[in-house]
Amino acid sequence: MTDDTDRDQADYAGEWGGVDVQFGEQGARLTYGSYLQLGRLLSAQTLESDPPAHDELLFITIHQVYELWFQQLLHEATAARDAMLSARSGQTDDNRLWWAQHLLGRMHVVERVLVQQVDVLETMTPQDFLQFRQKLAPASGFQSVQFRELEFLSGAKDPSFVQRFRGLTEAERDRLRRRLEEPTLWDAFVHVLDSKGLPTGSDAEITDAVRRAAHDRSRYADVWALAEALLQHDENAAAWRARHVVMVERMIGTKTGTGGSSGAEYLRSRLDLRYYPLLWELRSHL
């Protein structure tokens, strides 16, 4: 190898210790568009209205973005759960529990984005929505498999949803069944309590264990931080449901949903859902 070639490679390597990593267009290995698969991504917005309704693109884009965020939330929640489940009795698990807290904190930020996205959707007027709404039936947000997975993973498991969903592929049905069978975030939190030697045999014992952690944060700081992180996740989900139902009422009033549900009436029936009722009840006993 010539000295000139050595100098050229050194220039490219810079501080990378001689590894041939070429940044810039001269590398020609991967582009922004190919890495993000923008060709596929930006061609996935297929309008059903004819002639095209101007706001249908906005409607599709918003909901596709929701599904991307749901995918990310499932990714983070699964990892947070697994980190908590890996805690072992009598051992220091600072790194595992810190990682779970960190991922739950990331989820909180994403969940606030989900609520804020409703503001973008509400720039569409009811009249503009009605230009293409009839084309959506029988599709409905009720059929979002990832959203239901997130509820199951959070702790709100309801097997009836698997039977009530119409048009599910077998792969989607299998995903929901797996979520029904696997541990939830709450199961993982209870495992953490048990690994710390705290009682978990009944709801009363779990409540007492978390109360003890609340009053002895010098010893159980990680337990209390996880409890608060789960409660924040629950609160954010409640905020999204509340914002969603008001938006639906603003758009379609009391009309039935495109999937055949009672629309806003059904959504209002879900407003009292809590993933972790024991953590909410604890507030009355601190």
Side-chain angles (χ1 to χ4, degrees):
M1 184 178 293
T2 67
D3 290 343
D4 288 342
T5 302
D6 291 341
R7 281 194 295 272
D8 289 343
Q9 288 192 344
D11 289 340
Y12 280 127
E15 299 297 322
W16 294 94
V19 178
D20 185 18
V21 178
Q22 297 182 349
F23 292 97
E25 293 184 358
Q26 71 273 12
R29 297 176 180 177
L30 191 67
T31 68
Y32 177 81
S34 64
Y35 178 62
L36 297 179
Q37 299 190 49
L38 292 183
R40 295 175 60 190
L41 182 64
L42 299 180
S43 63
Q45 296 74 43
T46 304
L47 277 59
E48 293 290 332
S49 56
D50 186 18
H54 179 83
D55 279 4
E56 189 177 1
L57 177 61
L58 174 68
F59 186 85
I60 293 173
T61 299
I62 285 288
H63 287 82
Q64 287 181 339
V65 171
Y66 269 126
E67 290 297 328
L68 287 173
W69 281 129
F70 292 160
Q71 177 178 246
Q72 189 67 39
L73 287 171
L74 285 168
H75 180 64
E76 308 299 357
T78 301
R81 178 203 62 192
D82 292 347
M84 287 189 282
L85 286 174
S86 68
R88 294 187 292 272
S89 299
Q91 297 191 24
T92 300
D93 295 295
D94 293 344
N95 288 339
R96 296 184 185 93
L97 300 188
W98 177 88
W99 182 238
Q101 293 171 41
H102 173 69
L103 296 180
L104 288 166
R106 179 180 292 167
M107 288 175 63
H108 302 158
V109 178
V110 172
E111 287 161 349
R112 287 193 286 271
V113 171
L114 296 185
V115 176
Q116 292 166 353
Q117 280 186 183
V118 176
D119 291 339
V120 181
L121 194 56
E122 284 192 334
T123 64
M124 177 176 62
T125 68
Q127 303 94 303
D128 293 331
F129 182 39
L130 290 174
Q131 288 183 15
F132 63 90
R133 182 175 184 261
Q134 68 276 9
K135 296 289 186 179
L136 304 181
S140 167
F142 179 83
Q143 299 164 339
S144 172
V145 172
Q146 289 196 120
F147 180 76
R148 208 59 63 186
E149 281 188 88
L150 189 59
E151 286 197 331
F152 289 177
L153 180 55
S154 296
K157 292 184 177 181
D158 187 344
S160 69
F161 277 113
V162 182
Q163 304 304 322
R164 292 161 62 188
F165 272 22
R166 298 175 182 176
L168 284 178
T169 66
E170 196 56 38
E172 290 172 331
R173 201 174 298 278
D174 286 344
R175 278 167 48 195
L176 289 173
R177 287 175 181 145
R178 284 196 300 271
R179 293 296 184 185
L180 285 171
E181 294 169 358
E182 68 186 29
T184 66
L185 284 167
W186 180 252
D187 294 329
F189 177 68
V190 172
H191 173 80
V192 170
L193 295 177
D194 186 63
S195 74
K196 298 289 185 180
L198 294 166
T200 59
S202 65
D203 285 353
E205 287 185 338
I206 292 171
T207 299
D208 184 65
V210 181
R211 184 190 301 113
R212 189 185 309 178
H215 291 296
D216 189 0
R217 284 176 287 178
S218 62
R219 185 176 179 186
Y220 298 111
D222 47 4
V223 171
W224 180 247
L226 285 171
E228 288 292 272
L230 288 176
L231 194 77
Q232 186 64 58
H233 167 52
D234 202 350
E235 182 177 344
N236 290 345
W240 188 86
R241 285 190 291 269
R243 189 73 179 86
H244 185 209
V245 69
V246 172
M247 180 272 292
V248 169
E249 289 174 333
R250 176 173 176 169
M251 287 292 174
I252 65 170
T254 58
K255 294 185 180 76
T256 58
T258 51
S261 74
S262 57
E265 181 182 348
Y266 164 76
L267 295 174
R268 284 209 167 274
S269 73
R270 303 281 291 173
L271 289 181
D272 290 335
L273 174 65
R274 292 293 182 268
Y275 295 148
Y276 315 115
L278 292 185
L279 295 182
W280 292 100
E281 292 170 10
L282 175 66
R283 268 56 194 168
S284 302
H285 305 289
L286 286 177

